[in-house]
Amino acid sequence: MTLKRIFLILLTLVAILVSGSSLVGSWKEPQFQSELELYQTNIVLQATEWQSSDNKEIQSAKTAILGAKPLDGALKQYQEARNSAETNLKKAQEQLAQLRKQPEITTPPQSSVPPVTNLSPSVQQRQLQQTSSQLQKSLAELDLQIGIIQARQGDTDSAIATWQQLQKNSSINPQFSETSQMLIALWDDSPRVSEDAELLIKDNLQGWFRYSALEKTYQIEQDTKSLNNLKFTEQQAAEKALFKLTAIATLPALGGFIGLGLLIFTFGQWVIKRKAALLARNAEEKWITPWDGETILQVFVVGFFLMGQLLVPFALQLLPIPRPVDNVRIQAFYVLLSYILVASGSLLVLYLSIKQYLPLTEDWFRFRLWDGWVLWGIGGYCVAIPIVIVVSLINQQLWQGQGGSNPLLQIVLKSQDNLALLIFFSTAAIAAPLFEEFLFRGFLLPSLTRYLPVWGSILFSSFLFAAAHLSLSEILPLSALGIVLGVVYSRSRNLLAPMLVHSLWNSGTLLSLFILGNSTN
């Protein structure tokens, strides 16, 4: 056995250990989906205030979009979010208590780059303390919001009980306690307005919750002018919210219906025509792969893992960037630069690994502009929508709000900086599809056909594609997306097709996040 092969085996074991550790570690982290659902719920609440005409068709359309009882649905979502946050807080506090029993050791300075090795107990303590503080703040905010929903439903007793429970928590920011006391006074049997009511409302409440509390304040003060101005502003916000909610719901639904139709058509065609069907095109035709499994390992372990987990993070630590990074533009640039460096390093290793086998047969890394790749791309995107939605619904039941998520999504949701969003878009909708499809569909999938049938190569490459994102909760949905990408590529034999599917998918996700974040912020 050569020294190179021994090194590759050892590095492969390290890669499996580190990646597995990251995946297991993500199990303790909350899913981003829960927060995303609250953002959408906030838009629904805002849209409920839209006062439409007496036209029954418009009222029916509004009900179809918002639901028959939007406040009931919102209360359920917020209570589920609160239960999830409370569970996560208990877990964090238990872990913190266990770590405090361990002996103190010296730790290196923190970096915004995810570490490769396990963190020392003292660093974990700081992170858990920060997590606990954030969760306690979230619980306080959720209690304020749940109480307002209950009050708007007419259940003032439950609302006051919710706010009183919040006041019993001595570890929260005093401002939340003052806000809850102010809300209790507003909805009490003998309502009254404190001197700092407006300031507390504007500092601690947003969107529909802020409008609801201010409306109650102006009603008690009998401030007709302020109340009319508020209702005018609220109507404008409600109209925009309804439009954005329609866009978020309608476009994916339309794509999903088209995708469902395409699925039924292609499956029916396959049942009738079998090998002559579109779905059977190139289904069993393997690529001629001149390299073996060692080359595949070399590309992914040395190129993808070593570059992405060790060399690039180390190089970025040398940059004169303050850590942690608070500026969203610097964060966006940092993400884009990291991605370009990882992609460049991986592609360089790929080229050096297969250089001796060049030139390859024409079906390798094929880019053709005039063979219907746009139709394959759009069709694949539409088909992916219903498949990934169904898998995601099952996935949510399995993980129950745990399993972690891509941190980039949360940054995009909360960012309102147009330049930062443009940089994030460049990363997710351009750089990621080009690199990931070239590597996973262009190289990995065809390489695996040396050992597996085409369908087996699609499944295995899709799983590795999902696992590479290092989030347990995303493995099933991303595997489903990867299967669609693999089928599109194996049938079209044109890398432009899966690149378009991938780009459309990421673009749709970013657009939805931007709309949701813009509506709330």
Side-chain angles (χ1 to χ4, degrees), residues 190-265:
S190 302
R192 60 195 183 279
V193 178
S194 61
E195 292 182 3
D196 56 351
E198 272 196 64
L199 183 62
L200 287 170
I201 290 169
K202 291 177 180 177
D203 283 347
N204 298 290
L205 298 171
Q206 290 184 338
W208 178 84
F209 300 99
R210 179 184 292 178
Y211 286 126
S212 297
L214 286 174
E215 183 178 338
K216 185 69 174 177
T217 301
Y218 297 148
Q219 286 173 347
I220 295 170
E221 292 178 333
Q222 297 182 346
D223 187 347
T224 306
K225 182 180 178 181
S226 296
L227 186 61
N228 288 337
N229 289 337
L230 179 70
K231 285 186 175 295
F232 177 75
T233 305
E234 188 176 27
Q235 278 302 299
Q236 288 182 317
E239 187 175 341
K240 290 179 181 178
L242 192 61
F243 174 77
K244 290 174 179 178
L245 199 62
T246 303
I248 292 172
T250 303
L251 294 179
L254 180 61
F257 278 120
I258 294 173
L260 191 60
L262 286 172
L263 277 173
I264 294 171
F265 170 76

Side-chain angles (χ1 to χ4, degrees), residues 244-360:
K244 290 174 179 178
L245 199 62
T246 303
I248 292 172
T250 303
L251 294 179
L254 180 61
F257 278 120
I258 294 173
L260 191 60
L262 286 172
L263 277 173
I264 294 171
F265 170 76
T266 51
F267 181 75
Q269 188 192 46
W270 178 78
V271 170
I272 296 170
K273 295 185 177 182
R274 292 291 178 172
K275 291 187 177 182
L278 186 65
L279 194 61
R281 178 182 175 185
N282 299 323
E284 298 178 2
E285 185 179 341
K286 295 185 175 184
W287 282 259
I288 299 172
T289 307
W291 49 79
D292 57 13
E294 185 176 329
T295 301
I296 301 173
L297 271 181
Q298 182 173 298
V299 170
F300 273 85
V301 174
V302 177
F304 194 73
F305 171 76
L306 188 63
M307 293 296 297
Q309 294 290 323
L310 294 176
L311 299 183
V312 170
F314 177 76
L316 290 176
Q317 283 187 6
L318 301 178
L319 293 177
I321 299 175
R323 297 176 176 84
V325 180
D326 295 323
N327 187 302
V328 70
R329 291 187 180 184
I330 296 178
Q331 285 181 325
F333 173 75
Y334 189 89
V335 169
L336 179 59
L337 179 61
S338 303
Y339 204 92
I340 290 174
L341 290 175
V342 171
S344 301
S346 300
L347 293 178
L348 176 62
V349 173
L350 170 60
Y351 171 73
L352 294 175
S353 299
I354 65 172
K355 182 181 178 182
Q356 60 181 310
Y357 304 104
L358 299 178
L360 301 173

